[in-house]
Amino acid sequence: MSTTAGFAADEPAFSDLSERPDAARRRSIVAALTAALPPGAVLAEEGDLRPYECDGLSTFRELPVAVVLPSTERAVAATLGVCARLGVPVVARGAGTGLSGGAMPHAAGVVLSLARLNRILELDPAAGIARVEPGVRNLAISEAAAPFGLYYAPDPSSQIACTIGGNVAENAGGVHCLKYGLTLHNVLRVRGYTVTGEPVEFGSLALDAPGLDLLAAVIGSEGLLAIVTEVSVRLLPRPSVARVVMASFDDVGKAGDAVAAIIAAGIIPAGLEMMDRRAAVAVEPFVKAGYDLEAAAILLAESDGTSEEVDAEVARLEQLLAAAGATATAVSRSEAERLRFWSGRKNAFPAAGRISPDYYCMDGTIPRKHLGRVLAAIAALEEELGLRCMNVFHAGDGNLHPLILFDANVPGEWQRAERFGAAIVELCVALGGTITGEHGVGVEKLNSMCVQFTAAERAAFFAVKRAFDVPGLLNPGKLIPTLHRCAEYGRMRVHGGLLPFADLPRF
Amino acid sequence: MDAALEALRDRVLAAGHAGRRLRIRGAGTKDFLGETLQGELLDTAAFAGIVDYEPSELVLTARAGTRLSAIEALLGAHQQFLAFEPPAFGGDPTLGGIVAAGLSGPRRASAGAARDFVLGARLLSAGGECLNFGGRVMKNVAGFDVARLLCGSFGILGVIVEVSIKVLPRPAEELTLGFEMSAADAIEAFNRWSRRPLPLSATSWHDGVARVRLSGVGAAVAAARAVLGGTPIAAEVAARWWAGLRDHTHPFLAPREPLWRVSVAATAPLLGLPGAKLVEWAGALRWLRSTAAAEDVREAARRAGGSAALWHGAGRVPAFEPLPPALLAIHRRLKAGFDPHGLFNPGRLVPGL
Ligand SMILES: Cc1cc2nc3c(=O)[nH]c(=O)nc-3n(C[C@H](O)[C@H](O)[C@H](O)COP(=O)(O)OP(=O)(O)OC[C@H]3O[C@@H](n4cnc5c(N)ncnc54)[C@H](O)[C@@H]3O)c2cc1C
């Protein structure tokens, strides 16, 4: 890598902070935090720290030095002030539903939980804007907006639990983001603090703001750039009608072609989701949605808008699905039936947890045309690694969620699941896609980042990191792998014969 | 490496070695905009061509020098379009310039901004390397979103040499309705209508007339028309109107001094500044021909939750709203990280950077 006029060397100053500090240092950190914060805001007993040792990806665990639970912005700033002064890493945490280890604590650091900052500060129905604290749950925003006929569009399946702060940090999506966009498209302004406790504001209540689009950099930054303490989101008018068409296919490839045909016909459905047979069979006893268990794939296409729009669109969807070879179609006749059709897709993860002791949820995105190829490769990997996988898929935008089923108590199974997952996401990269569509890199996909990005590109990410966080204390060690780590991973992949699909061109 | 790209890289490296500055330019349609132009011309127009386009994937990838007219012709053949309606300013801008400026047209308030459609970008860095950020897929959270950070960067971080952008199906039908009303009433009505499930795709107010464009399937457009009332405007007349706003060929937006672009919260009341105005984006964008002091315009914009840019007439005062110190510091460090020797478009977006 050239360093003359290019990016500076990428080894971050904080790489030596990963060791658990000795008892004296731990005590001094806790004492400084306790002195700066109101009573009850600092946890440091091991029993109190345990619930924070991991996020939704429980295979990665670490105990922090302390957990801080501020209830005010002032307390957030005070926490950052102490941590910056003492050089202590800070890991922000919302609800801990993240699936890539983004909120996993740092052994030498503090977990900064934003859960108690959970007030809806302002709901302006005339402007269609809600201004909320970061610990407000995603669904709570739509619930508060409902009396005004408004809602917050991004709807991750975890929306009862996950926080808007976590959504901002992960650029979360949902089943409706094909038409209504991701978190990025629905957030106007974010306020927060830099690592040194300085207040900052990104974006604005207008439709643009002067200077570089720092809001775009902060959304999806996994807590590495700033601590978010206030989010202003756009509320949309709730469509008057929504109906879903459910179609069965005897072949996954045909279902994929049906998706392409719908888009090519000029329709952007409000949701366009797919499940394979294994997923349908797993969820059906649980949700009793009436899924066709003979079908190789089930496609759910939702239409929303005015009743005129929906009638016209549903008729066209039925035609297109039939033409694409659907073996059966059904249209929801009531709101209850619509929700029932969706229930299986929305509950796919818990269903995986019922049929298998553990599951590992992957999250790659591909150009949709390669769907058949990826599913065939997954079937081959099932054979090779002796693990089963069920597939749910945000089909409209090419975002795959293979759920790899394993048992962590069987020696070697987690390691095989991890290899399975890495092979899938690296295939996504080889096909022109990406290692993560919405769950983030966290600690989980650090190695795969080495596959997707060159050393110079990773150095650019470090340049962004340093521009926002000079001392490198915000969620260090996540999202961007060091040069050293990538070199190690490169050697392992070659020697371990791990290089998946070596015959495919890399681009 | 493609010869045209190699030529760009060689120029970047040579300028770096010699300590010269580069002024990146596509078609030059936005030369009037922003702070002063400095440095040797680096023309991207030769690095042109559509790299990939598959209508059913809703993604188009093209080189920076590709002209808007070429992109629109190709998309139009498949009933698709760039939904953010990039302004052409009476010329034929390049995709690189469109993304570097990050400007959006009348559809902004309902469809989203240029940055919302950027999926990936390739950057020619100060070190002469080609870096890829984002990609050609709709959802992608691997690494920081540098592709979108480049949108609106005015070239200060490096040369955008290729872009992947999301495209959308063209709406089946469009209808524009006219209403005689005051600016204050129009802003109130636009906001009220925007909170209802109506297929609005653009709004404007100028000279006592509010205009509302509806886009969608025929049945939805007809139903919305029944709800809104107003007088239908003939399709060609309406198309000319929206093109005039999009491309700034409307006489009100002509390149004459002074023209202020005031971006505010959509529900903000009238700014109380002297001069003629034109309102877009359901009230969130207000163009102003005013001789009011720059400080007064900027103060009014801040009070209304936004900022003011001096679109035509900058020079004596900064074109863009000055940044608060905490953000300026982040801008400085970003610039230092991406372009340590200050090679690219010095001072174009932020004075001194
Ligand atoms: C069953 C299930 C279904 C899911 N479905 C979806 C889905 O459909 N779509 C989707 O996108 N995701 C989904 N997820 C993943 C997860 O819910 C999202 O990533 C969510 O956005 C995380 O929010 P959280 O509040 O739990 O954040 P956490 O897990 O607590 O944190 C996530 C990251 O955000 C950072 N962070 C949190 N708060 C802040 C803050 N205030 N300031 C700065 N950084 C902060 C953390 O440091 C961490 O890096 C699902 C997860 C589960 C368990």
Side-chain angles (χ1 to χ4, degrees):
Chain A
M1 191 184 64
S2 94
T3 47
T4 45
F7 296 95
D10 77 339
E11 289 309 328
F14 48 70
S15 50
D16 57 347
L17 285 180
S18 53
E19 296 276 301
R20 189 163 169 77
D22 61 25
R25 169 137 169 107
R26 291 205 303 272
R27 270 196 306 276
S28 73
I29 294 170
V30 172
L33 289 168
T34 311
L37 291 158
V42 182
L43 307 179
E45 296 297 325
E46 190 182 322
D48 295 335
L49 301 180
R50 279 283 163 219
Y52 296 90
E53 68 182 345
C54 64
D55 63 9
L57 181 62
S58 56
T59 39
F60 293 88
R61 290 168 193 267
E62 191 71 80
L63 271 188
V65 172
V67 172
V68 181
L69 291 151
S71 315
T72 61
E73 288 201 336
R74 261 186 61 196
V76 171
T79 306
L80 289 165
V82 169
C83 291
R85 181 161 52 81
L86 300 179
V88 178
V90 177
V91 179
R93 183 182 180 97
T97 67
L99 291 174
S100 54
M104 185 191 83
H106 197 285
V110 162
V111 167
L112 177 56
S113 165
L114 284 309
R116 286 187 186 167
L117 284 168
N118 61 358
R119 281 158 294 223
I120 293 182
L121 299 170
E122 187 184 356
L123 203 143
D124 182 348
I129 294 174
R131 191 162 63 82
V132 306
E133 290 185 331
V136 170
R137 290 171 306 112
N138 172 296
L139 188 61
I141 302 176
S142 288
E143 285 169 353
F148 307 102
L150 301 171
Y151 77 117
Y152 175 62
D155 58 343
S157 306
S158 51
Q159 70 181 149
I160 337 171
C162 65
T163 67
I164 191 71
N167 291 172
V168 166
E170 300 287 2
N171 190 16
V175 297
H176 290 100
C177 61
L178 177 62
K179 183 166 173 184
Y180 296 105
L182 306 160
T183 304
L184 172 92
H185 303 103
N186 290 281
V187 166
L188 293 167
R189 185 180 74 186
V190 159
R191 284 179 168 157
Y193 291 88
T194 65
V195 66
T196 50
E198 193 177 9
V200 273
E201 180 173 316
F202 306 110
S204 89
L205 298 186
L207 291 178
D208 41 40
L212 294 168
D213 192 346
L214 301 184
L215 181 62
V218 167
I219 294 180
S221 65
E222 302 192 13
L224 271 78
L225 300 185
I227 299 297
V228 175
T229 56
E230 185 187 303
V231 185
S232 294
V233 301
R234 191 165 72 113
L235 302 173
L236 297 183
R238 170 134 340 256
S240 1
V241 188
R243 282 158 75 196
V244 59
V245 187
M246 178 165 75
S248 310
F249 287 87
D250 57 11
D251 174 76
V252 195
K254 281 187 200 164
D257 294 344
V259 171
I262 290 170
I263 307 267
I267 300 178
I268 304 290
L272 192 51
E273 299 281 315
M274 196 192 290
M275 280 181 287
D276 69 0
R277 178 185 289 139
R278 189 168 284 151
V281 168
V283 295
E284 182 58 26
F286 192 26
V287 299
K288 305 207 170 40
Y291 292 140
D292 177 354
L293 302 182
E294 299 301 304
I298 291 175
L299 205 60
L300 293 166
E302 180 154 291
S303 172
D304 70 6
T306 61
S307 60
E308 299 83 3
E309 272 175 302
V310 173
D311 287 346
E313 197 167 279
V314 165
R316 289 192 65 209
L317 283 170
E318 284 187 290
Q319 276 166 14
L320 287 160
L321 289 164
T327 52
T329 56
V331 183
S332 64
R333 284 157 305 183
S334 64
E335 187 59 10
E337 193 170 50
R338 182 181 78 89
L339 295 176
R340 195 151 53 75
F341 284 1
W342 275 119
S343 61
R345 171 60 190 87
K346 288 227 167 192
N347 288 300
F349 297 1
R354 281 179 33 129
I355 62 165
S356 169
D358 298 284
Y359 68 94
Y360 182 33
C361 173
M362 297 315 298
D363 170 46
T365 306
I366 48 165
R368 271 187 276 93
K369 63 183 171 192
H370 295 308
L371 174 63
R373 196 158 166 188
V374 172
L375 291 178
I378 289 176
L381 284 163
E382 290 186 297
E383 288 296 307
E384 187 185 321
L385 293 166
L387 292 174
R388 287 177 306 150
C389 180
M390 59 188 246
N391 291 291
V392 294
F393 183 41
H394 299 297
D397 33 38
N399 187 195
L400 302 160
H401 289 319
L403 300 169
I404 301 164
L405 310 178
F406 72 100
D407 183 348
N409 289 325
V410 175
E413 279 214 357
W414 160 242
Q415 285 73 12
R416 274 185 285 144
E418 213 180 4
R419 272 178 62 187
F420 198 147
I424 295 171
V425 295
E426 288 167 24
L427 174 63
C428 291
V429 176
L431 295 172
T434 177
I435 59 169
T436 169
E438 59 182 16
H439 294 165
V441 173
V443 282
E444 178 205 15
K445 286 174 213 109
L446 282 171
N447 286 340
S448 300
M449 284 291 282
C450 309
V451 178
Q452 184 161 342
F453 294 100
T454 64
E457 288 154 2
R458 285 181 267 115
F461 290 145
F462 276 118
V464 174
K465 168 76 171 154
R466 270 192 300 271
F468 284 79
D469 172 14
V470 177
L473 291 173
L474 292 179
N475 217 359
K478 310 281 176 68
L479 187 70
I480 329 164
T482 57
L483 265 181
H484 175 72
R485 183 181 183 122
C486 289
E488 285 286 296
Y489 186 58
R491 272 194 292 278
M492 183 186 93
R493 286 171 87 233
V494 174
H495 293 149
L498 260 181
L499 202 64
F501 316 102
D503 53 317
L504 284 171
R506 312 266 138 179
F507 52 89
Chain B
M1 194 188 251
D2 178 277
L5 182 57
E6 209 165 334
L8 287 177
R9 189 198 56 189
D10 292 346
R11 288 280 313 279
V12 167
L13 289 175
H17 285 305
R20 294 191 304 265
R21 309 273 172 267
L22 291 172
R23 165 193 161 199
I24 311 164
R25 184 179 158 170
T29 58
K30 291 169 279 280
D31 276 353
F32 70 89
L33 184 59
E35 311 295 353
T36 44
L37 302 172
Q38 293 175 48
E40 269 175 32
L41 195 66
L42 182 75
D43 193 329
T44 61
F47 189 57
I50 287 160
V51 177
D52 190 24
Y53 169 51
E54 270 179 76
S56 70
E57 299 282 341
L58 299 177
V59 180
L60 176 134
T61 302
R63 292 172 175 161
T66 314
R67 301 287 170 157
L68 178 61
S69 60
I71 293 172
E72 289 189 324
L74 178 64
L75 294 176
H78 295 88
Q79 285 76 50
Q80 294 188 336
F81 75 139
L82 295 177
F84 61 97
E85 298 186 320
F89 299 107
D92 193 1
T94 62
L95 182 60
I98 288 169
V99 171
L103 300 171
S104 314
R107 207 175 291 263
R108 163 67 181 95
S110 56
R115 74 91 120 116
D116 294 324
F117 291 86
V118 169
L119 299 175
R122 173 176 291 182
L123 185 75
L124 174 59
S125 74
E129 291 154 315
C130 275
L131 312 178
N132 288 302
F133 300 104
R136 295 181 189 179
V137 288
M138 296 294 152
K139 285 167 83 176
N140 187 349
V141 292
F144 299 122
D145 201 345
V146 176
R148 289 193 170 100
L149 179 65
L150 294 174
C151 188
S153 66
F154 275 88
I156 69 166
L157 301 178
V159 191
I160 299 169
V161 290
E162 189 181 290
V163 177
S164 291
I165 203 149
K166 180 178 175 179
V167 302
L168 282 180
R170 200 172 256 302
E173 283 188 33
E174 294 207 315
L175 172 69
T176 299
L177 302 170
F179 305 79
E180 290 200 6
M181 54 171 80
S182 70
D185 288 348
I187 290 169
E188 186 277 325
F190 293 159
N191 277 287
R192 189 159 31 82
W193 293 334
S194 300
R195 303 288 88 76
R196 300 180 55 183
L198 297 167
L200 301 189
S201 70
T203 51
S204 71
W205 178 91
H206 181 58
D207 224 1
V209 181
R211 290 176 179 81
V212 172
R213 185 176 64 188
L214 303 166
S215 304
V217 296
V221 170
R225 182 190 162 185
V227 172
L228 295 179
T231 312
I233 296 173
E236 323 74 73
V237 178
R240 254 202 318 280
W241 174 262
W242 299 114
L245 299 195
R246 162 187 162 155
D247 296 330
H248 285 212
T249 48
H250 186 285
F252 185 84
L253 300 169
R256 266 185 297 114
E257 299 180 15
L259 178 64
W260 285 95
R261 176 189 189 272
V262 190
S263 176
V264 294
T267 47
L270 293 180
L271 301 174
L273 295 164
K277 48 190 166 294
L278 189 154
V279 178
E280 289 189 77
W281 298 0
L285 186 60
R286 307 192 187 173
W287 298 96
L288 184 66
R289 290 270 175 209
S290 180
T291 49
E295 234 347 277
D296 295 346
V297 179
R298 295 221 142 110
E299 180 50 35
R302 280 193 291 270
R303 271 202 315 272
S307 61
L310 188 45
W311 207 250
H312 288 291
R316 300 171 311 279
V317 294
F320 302 120
E321 172 87 18
L323 297 168
L327 295 193
L328 184 59
I330 295 172
H331 278 69
R332 283 228 168 80
R333 291 189 295 259
L334 275 171
K335 176 75 173 173
F338 278 78
D339 181 15
H341 303 297
L343 199 56
F344 299 119
N345 285 5
R348 181 80 193 266
L349 179 66
V350 181
L353 283 193

